[in-house]
């Protein structure tokens, strides 16, 4: 086939290879030994005075910096910088034992931000990234903007014991040894159709049940909206998505094995400070009441359908934060919403969701 430099495929290859999306840092001295960290820097390039609104996005299982590629043009237009950091065992981030994943992450975040001369960020997580956001919030609270501290949860992960999700309960019966090859499974789908069906962990549930998902109409509507408002035509978006997934799974993804065990509670005490969300929120509220300044703003977005946590899991997560906000004496504000037509994974590329987040950041 003759090479066409103007084709959507050629455009996607150039787009995904942007050097800003493939950066690395070696942190020589940590409690885990030297750590090589890979990360991506999306959206607006930082200005010289360091005032570019910056967001640290912590994505779900199979968490890779590539997930943020879909946000680049939106963040750029809104004037926001978005950092996405690989977690241990993903990309070229050094693998660590399961029990050390959270502590390695918490130690990495402030070191990376200092390297980039970033003082403050807003935090956003998706799915399994929830536990990493909560630990970051607890141990690295001062990295939030003092004048507008904000954290956002997209389809937050909930302990299967609290969500009661049938598919998650079934997945818990999968032998632990089976997860030694977990990271190879998405590659089977890539070979089949050129794209992975999920990047957060919905793959777990697909092994155990037939699942509802967002309609193709909603996905097409979102792609059309991005095309009309952010300048990437639909064919370009499709090729970028395909190229992104191919590149992501061409790199190391062994960390997803540990993360699947972590999400399913297959090994104890791997969630760090947030082993119990109710206890976590109560402790956080006590600390927030001692702070002088504007309240911590917490917002959560849920899919209209969600096979991973279901309505019971959503209600549990909301209840934890609603009670906490009521007890906070105004130091914590909580808000949540359901995004029509989305599911657990399709919240991530939703322009509606990110426009809401970016608007609050630049207000």
């Amino acid at each position: 086939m003759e090479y066409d430099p103007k084709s959507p495929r050629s455009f996607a290859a150039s787009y995904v290879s942007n050097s800003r999306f493939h950066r690395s840092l070696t942190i020589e001295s940590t409690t885990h030994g030297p750590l090589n960290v890979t990360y991506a820097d999306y959206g607006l390039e930082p200005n010289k005075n360091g005032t570019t609104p910056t967001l640290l996005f912590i994505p779900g299982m199979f968490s890779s910096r590539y997930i943020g590629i879909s946000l680049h043009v939106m963040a750029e237009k809104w004037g926001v910088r978005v950092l996405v950091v690989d977690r241990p065992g993903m990309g070229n981030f050094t693998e660590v034992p399961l029990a050390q994943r959270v502590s390695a992450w918490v130690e990495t975040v402030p070191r990376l931000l200092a390297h980039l001369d970033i003082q403050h960020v807003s935090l956003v997580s998706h799915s399994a990234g929830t536990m990493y956001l909560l630990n970051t919030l607890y141990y690295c609270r001062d990295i939030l903007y003092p004048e507008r501290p904000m954290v956002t949860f997209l389809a937050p992960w909930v302990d299967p014991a609290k969500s009661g999700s049938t598919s998650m309960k079934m997945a818990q019966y999968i032998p632990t040894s089976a997860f030694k090859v977990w990271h190879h499974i998405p590659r089977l789908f890539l070979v089949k159709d050129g794209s992975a069906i999920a990047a957060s962990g919905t793959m777990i549930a697909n092994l155990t049940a037939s699942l509802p998902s967002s309609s193709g109409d909603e996905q097409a509507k979102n792609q059309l909206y991005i095309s009309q408002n952010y300048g990437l035509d639909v064919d370009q978006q499709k090729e970028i998505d395909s190229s992104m997934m191919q590149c992501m799974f061409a790199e190391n993804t062994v960390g997803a094995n540990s993360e699947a065990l972590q999400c399913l509670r297959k090994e104890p005490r791997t969630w760090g400070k947030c082993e119990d969300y109710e206890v976590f929120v109560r402790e956080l509220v006590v600390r927030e009441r001692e702070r002088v300044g504007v309240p911590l703003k917490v917002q959560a977005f849920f899919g209209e359908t969600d096979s991973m946590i279901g309505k019971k899991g959503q209600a549990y997560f909301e209840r934890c934060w609603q009670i906490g906000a009521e007890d906070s004496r105004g130091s914590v504000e909580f808000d949540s919403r359901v995004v029509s037509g989305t599911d657990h994974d399709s919240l991530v590329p939703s322009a509606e969701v990110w426009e809401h987040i970016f608007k609050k950041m630049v207000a």
Side-chain angles (χ1 to χ4, degrees), residues 34-171:
L35 290 177
N36 190 72
V37 180
T38 42
Y39 65 97
D41 191 345
Y42 299 109
L44 191 68
E45 293 199 54
N47 54 33
K48 293 182 179 179
N49 58 14
T51 58
T52 305
T54 303
L55 180 154
L56 175 60
F57 177 39
I58 310 171
M61 190 188 303
F62 288 109
S63 55
S64 165
R65 67 190 186 280
Y66 284 98
I67 296 300
I69 285 179
S70 62
L71 310 179
H72 178 61
V73 291
M74 287 188 280
E76 195 171 42
K77 187 169 182 178
W78 278 89
V80 174
R81 183 183 187 186
V82 178
L83 296 178
V84 185
V85 186
D86 288 326
R87 291 204 286 275
M90 302 296 295
N92 199 30
F93 195 129
T94 307
E95 171 69 328
V96 300
L98 171 56
Q100 298 176 20
R101 289 184 68 80
V102 168
S103 61
W105 171 262
V106 169
E107 192 167 354
T108 295
V109 169
R111 303 279 287 275
L112 175 61
L113 295 183
H115 169 73
L116 295 172
D117 199 23
I118 296 173
Q119 289 188 307
H120 300 112
V121 297
S122 294
L123 295 174
V124 179
S125 68
H126 173 233
S127 191
T130 302
M131 63 192 78
Y132 293 89
L133 186 153
L134 292 174
N135 279 277
T136 305
L137 176 60
Y138 190 88
Y139 291 110
C140 311
R141 172 63 173 79
D142 289 339
I143 68 174
L144 295 185
Y145 286 102
E147 69 277 13
R148 55 178 190 280
M150 183 177 78
V151 299
T152 304
F153 300 95
L154 309 183
W157 187 265
V158 174
D159 185 338
K162 301 294 185 181
S163 70
S165 167
T166 301
S167 58
M168 290 301 97
K169 286 183 176 179
M170 294 174 66

Side-chain angles (χ1 to χ4, degrees), residues 87-359:
R87 291 204 286 275
M90 302 296 295
N92 199 30
F93 195 129
T94 307
E95 171 69 328
V96 300
L98 171 56
Q100 298 176 20
R101 289 184 68 80
V102 168
S103 61
W105 171 262
V106 169
E107 192 167 354
T108 295
V109 169
R111 303 279 287 275
L112 175 61
L113 295 183
H115 169 73
L116 295 172
D117 199 23
I118 296 173
Q119 289 188 307
H120 300 112
V121 297
S122 294
L123 295 174
V124 179
S125 68
H126 173 233
S127 191
T130 302
M131 63 192 78
Y132 293 89
L133 186 153
L134 292 174
N135 279 277
T136 305
L137 176 60
Y138 190 88
Y139 291 110
C140 311
R141 172 63 173 79
D142 289 339
I143 68 174
L144 295 185
Y145 286 102
E147 69 277 13
R148 55 178 190 280
M150 183 177 78
V151 299
T152 304
F153 300 95
L154 309 183
W157 187 265
V158 174
D159 185 338
K162 301 294 185 181
S163 70
S165 167
T166 301
S167 58
M168 290 301 97
K169 286 183 176 179
M170 294 174 66
Q172 286 180 312
Y173 286 103
I174 299 174
T176 298
S177 58
F179 288 96
K180 292 181 179 179
V181 295
W182 178 245
H183 63 300
H184 292 304
I185 294 176
R187 291 180 172 84
L188 302 178
F189 292 89
L190 285 167
V191 170
K192 179 180 178 181
D193 63 8
S195 64
I197 60 173
S200 75
T202 305
M203 197 79 72
I204 296 175
N206 274 281
L207 292 178
T208 58
S210 296
L211 305 173
S213 62
S214 60
S215 71
D217 289 344
E218 288 297 329
Q219 181 183 16
K221 188 186 301 183
N222 188 63
Q223 290 175 335
L224 181 60
Y225 182 86
I226 291 173
S227 174
Q228 293 172 338
N229 292 276
Y230 296 99
L232 280 182
D233 69 40
V234 173
D235 287 339
Q236 288 174 333
Q237 291 178 61
K238 290 178 179 178
E239 288 294 343
I240 289 171
D241 287 345
S242 177
S243 180
M244 172 187 75
M245 287 297 182
Q246 295 284 349
C247 291
M248 180 166 69
F249 289 103
E251 294 185 351
N252 190 21
T253 58
V254 72
N257 298 346
S258 293
E259 210 139 285
L261 297 173
Q262 190 176 33
C263 288
L264 293 172
R265 298 280 202 179
K266 299 285 282 183
E267 293 191 16
R269 296 180 297 280
T270 61
W271 285 29
K273 195 63 185 176
C274 63
E275 290 287 341
D276 185 309
Y277 286 178
E278 296 174 78
V279 172
F280 174 89
V281 173
R282 285 199 297 268
E283 290 187 21
L284 181 71
V285 162
V286 170
R287 296 176 63 169
E288 289 298 317
R289 285 203 302 245
E290 296 172 352
R291 285 182 172 271
V292 177
V294 297
L296 171 66
K297 296 185 182 299
V298 180
Q299 56 185 347
F301 292 86
F302 296 93
E304 185 175 8
T305 60
D306 192 325
S307 60
M308 307 294 283
I309 66 170
K311 295 301 180 184
K312 184 179 177 181
Q314 175 184 335
Y316 165 75
F317 190 86
E318 290 175 319
R319 185 169 63 252
C320 289
W321 283 101
Q322 287 164 349
I323 294 174
E326 291 169 2
D327 292 341
S328 72
R329 302 172 193 169
S331 61
V332 176
E333 297 177 356
F334 176 72
D335 179 51
S336 68
R337 64 173 62 189
V338 173
V339 182
S340 176
T342 63
D343 59 25
H344 189 83
D345 278 323
S346 62
L347 275 172
V348 174
S350 170
E352 175 186 345
V353 169
W354 288 103
E355 285 180 344
H356 182 91
I357 294 170
F358 294 154
K359 186 176 182 179

